[in-house]
Amino acid sequence: MRLYLIHLGVMQPGEIPVPSYLVQTNDGANILIDTGWPRSFVDCPINPIGLTIEMRPEDALASRLAEIGLHPSDIDYLVCTHLDDDHSGNHDMFESAELIIQRRHYDLAKSGHPRFAANRAFWGHPSLRYRPIDGDFDLAPGVKLLETSGHVPGHQSVLVRLPVTGAVLLAADAVMHSSMADAETRRLFVTDMQDEASIRRSTQKISDIALSENAAFVVYGHDAQQWSTLRHSPEFYD
Ligand SMILES: [Zn+2]
């Protein structure tokens, strides 16, 4: 089994990374997690929320997948941590995949919540096949989805148990930065929906699972300093 950490550009100021992740299982399944900003942003910095988005051609998801020998049609599962703009901009490329999402989140976005409207043409494309799930979910041997609501209702994180590295937790935006890893003292971020109790509960859940799994590391959702220390695709963790 392999885990690829995929770099899809940065948000400025602060070189804030926009990641995607790919797990390749021993039986050949390709599990992609999130898809970044829309590919139309390559070399076309726009400023939707007071941030400048820098995406070079090589940062486009299709280019990153090609670097590891994959085409979007090779993806079997697309795990949606949530449908914020920086996580869902290319879902429409994966019509041959099954999209795994927490039912609570999918229902909220589909109801027309304005927060998830910008990318609706991509995540809501009629050709996509969604499988809504409820709570923690074993997707494949060694790949477990964790319900981590708070940043948004129905956010999910991913636990990957690798044979050599050990367990790795992909927190995504449940814990965006290492400075937010302590459930009691963490600050809330401006984009965290007003559900402090859920945010603290989910942050604690990630800490508890990292401890019980003896995790090698937790990948925080948007941590520039940590991201610069990690191995990026086409390199991988096995
Ligand atoms: Zn994000």
Side-chain angles (χ1 to χ4, degrees):
M1 191 153 74
R2 293 179 172 185
L3 169 64
Y4 294 88
L5 308 182
I6 301 174
H7 181 81
L8 299 181
V10 295
M11 298 183 275
Q12 303 286 15
E15 291 284 317
I16 300 163
V18 178
S20 171
Y21 316 95
L22 176 77
V23 179
Q24 290 187 309
T25 68
N26 288 339
D27 55 3
N30 290 307
I31 302 170
L32 185 71
I33 301 151
D34 287 349
T35 64
W37 290 101
R39 53 201 176 277
S40 59
F41 291 7
V42 169
D43 286 335
C44 178
I46 65 160
N47 204 337
I49 52 169
L51 289 163
T52 300
I53 295 150
E54 294 180 0
M55 280 178 76
R56 302 161 297 173
E58 60 268 35
D59 296 328
L61 182 52
S63 305
R64 292 294 185 209
L65 291 175
E67 282 177 339
I68 48 183
L70 293 176
H71 184 271
S73 63
D74 296 319
I75 301 301
D76 301 291
Y77 299 102
L78 170 56
V79 172
C80 311
T81 67
H82 64 304
L83 298 174
D84 271 350
D85 303 4
D86 53 327
H87 295 258
S88 64
N90 300 286
H91 282 23
D92 57 312
M93 288 164 47
F94 299 97
E95 55 187 29
S96 47
E98 189 170 34
L99 281 71
I100 316 292
I101 192 165
Q102 291 289 324
R103 185 184 314 276
R104 185 179 172 205
H105 189 66
Y106 191 43
D107 287 349
L108 178 67
K110 273 195 309 181
S111 75
H113 194 291
R115 175 165 173 151
F116 312 106
N119 282 353
R120 188 159 188 161
F122 310 118
W123 64 256
H125 196 278
S127 66
L128 297 178
R129 291 181 297 127
Y130 277 89
R131 190 207 299 186
I133 59 170
D134 299 287
D136 294 355
F137 182 77
D138 288 306
L139 179 60
V143 183
K144 183 169 187 168
L145 310 186
L146 307 168
E147 191 275 334
T148 49
S149 287
H151 176 66
V152 293
H155 184 280
Q156 54 187 353
S157 305
V158 184
L159 168 66
V160 185
R161 297 187 181 104
L162 294 167
V164 176
T165 307
V168 175
L169 264 156
L170 307 173
D173 288 3
V175 187
M176 282 187 254
H177 192 274
S178 61
S179 65
M180 299 173 171
D182 183 86
E184 273 181 41
T185 61
R186 66 161 287 173
R187 66 192 166 94
L188 272 55
F189 193 65
V190 63
T191 58
D192 288 328
M193 286 174 102
Q194 299 301 308
D195 184 3
E196 181 170 350
S198 292
I199 287 169
R200 298 203 186 283
R201 178 186 56 78
S202 292
T203 304
Q204 189 65 50
K205 180 174 181 175
I206 286 173
S207 305
D208 290 347
I209 292 173
L211 193 65
S212 65
E213 295 281 334
N214 194 22
F217 53 93
V218 176
V219 180
Y220 303 108
H222 295 289
D223 186 328
Q225 197 283 327
Q226 183 197 35
W227 189 247
S228 69
T229 67
L230 297 171
R231 213 176 284 165
H232 301 161
S233 67
E235 292 185 84
F236 55 85
Y237 294 90
D238 59 3

